[in-house]
Amino acid sequence: ETGVTQTPRHLVMGMTNKKSLKCEQHLGHNAMYWYKQSAKKPLELMFVYSLEERVENNSVPSRFSPECPNSSHLFLHLHTLQPEDSALYLCASSQERLSRGEQFFGPGTRLTVL
Amino acid sequence: GEDVEQSLFLSVREGDSSVINCTYTDSSSTYLYWYKQEPGAGLQLLTYIFSNMDMKQDQRLTVLLNKKDKHLSLRIADTQTGDSAIYFCAESILGDDKIIFGKGTRLHILP
């Protein structure tokens, strides 16, 4: 595997379910990001991790809980989501934070909340 | 505030040049980017330009920056069917982790 991978690629869940999204980067980068891509809206940065420490949380609801166990892996734990949370969730990584914005993106997880 | 605007749709004939335009509001931008997103895929960085540059060329791609008007454009020469995608303009702000993205321009190639 090369680059940034995400699993699952598609996820359908009910509002009472708990699920997790996984991201893995094989680039040796130190920073990882979660973005939300909704239809007809700009990409929204949700979380930033640098060297496994969270450095930014853009006022994301607590029903989204990130976890970064090491610099290669990033998770997004989901619980009691709402239908408006349906979106494409993109993971990205970069060599360092603030590193000229050369973020490498994964293919995304298409999430549907029923 | 921070805002990046771009038109949502562009149709171009195969072989013609495509020009995708973008405007941004934050004058403290450091880098401006063009990303490409093909169906079912993540965003791929195409090119970027530092805010003190006017132009950058990379093969079929030409980026023009008018800092006075806060206008960025991406020209794709000899547009091919493989160029069909959504193109996102984005800016990064000095000292900030965030990259501010536009909503994307869907490029449709006509035969």
Side-chain angles (χ1 to χ4, degrees), chain A residues 20 34 47 49 54 60-67 75-79:
Chain A
S20 295
W34 278 118
F47 299 103
Y49 274 84
R54 189 161 76 190
V60 178
S62 58
R63 57 185 183 268
F64 294 92
S65 173
E67 179 191 359
F75 294 90
L76 187 63
H77 303 299
L78 316 170
H79 65 98

Side-chain angles (χ1 to χ4, degrees), chain B residues 29-78:
Chain B
S29 298
T30 49
Y31 289 94
L32 295 131
Y33 314 91
W34 285 104
Y35 282 84
K36 178 184 181 182
Q37 186 178 32
E38 297 184 48
L43 275 70
Q44 172 198 354
L45 180 65
L46 279 181
T47 185
Y48 64 90
I49 188 168
F50 190 51
S51 57
N52 68 355
M53 296 169 63
D54 298 324
M55 186 185 94
K56 182 177 181 181
Q57 187 153 4
D58 182 4
Q59 299 180 337
R60 290 192 298 125
L61 305 178
T62 304
V63 178
L64 293 177
L65 175 60
N66 180 329
K67 198 170 182 184
K68 175 175 169 287
D69 295 338
K70 296 180 187 156
H71 181 267
L72 183 75
S73 68
L74 173 69
R75 179 176 179 269
I76 305 172
D78 187 24

Side-chain angles (χ1 to χ4, degrees), chain A residues 9 33 35 37 40-43 45 48 55-56 58 88 90 97-108, chain B residues 3-4 8 31 33 35 37 40-45 48 86 88 92-93 95-99 101-103:
Chain A
R9 295 293 308 276
Y33 311 80
Y35 285 88
Q37 185 178 25
K40 299 179 183 176
K41 288 175 70 174
L43 235 66
L45 178 64
V48 179
V55 295
E56 185 160 339
N58 285 331
L88 182 70
L90 291 165
R97 282 177 62 210
L98 310 176
S99 58
R100 297 190 303 175
E102 287 186 52
Q103 294 183 8
F104 293 80
F105 284 80
Chain B
D3 201 13
V4 176
L8 295 180
Y31 289 94
Y33 314 91
Y35 282 84
Q37 186 178 32
L43 275 70
Q44 172 198 354
L45 180 65
Y48 64 90
I86 301 175
F88 290 88
S92 64
I93 310 301
D96 198 329
D97 283 302
K98 280 190 301 190
I99 297 180
F101 286 84
K103 293 181 183 178

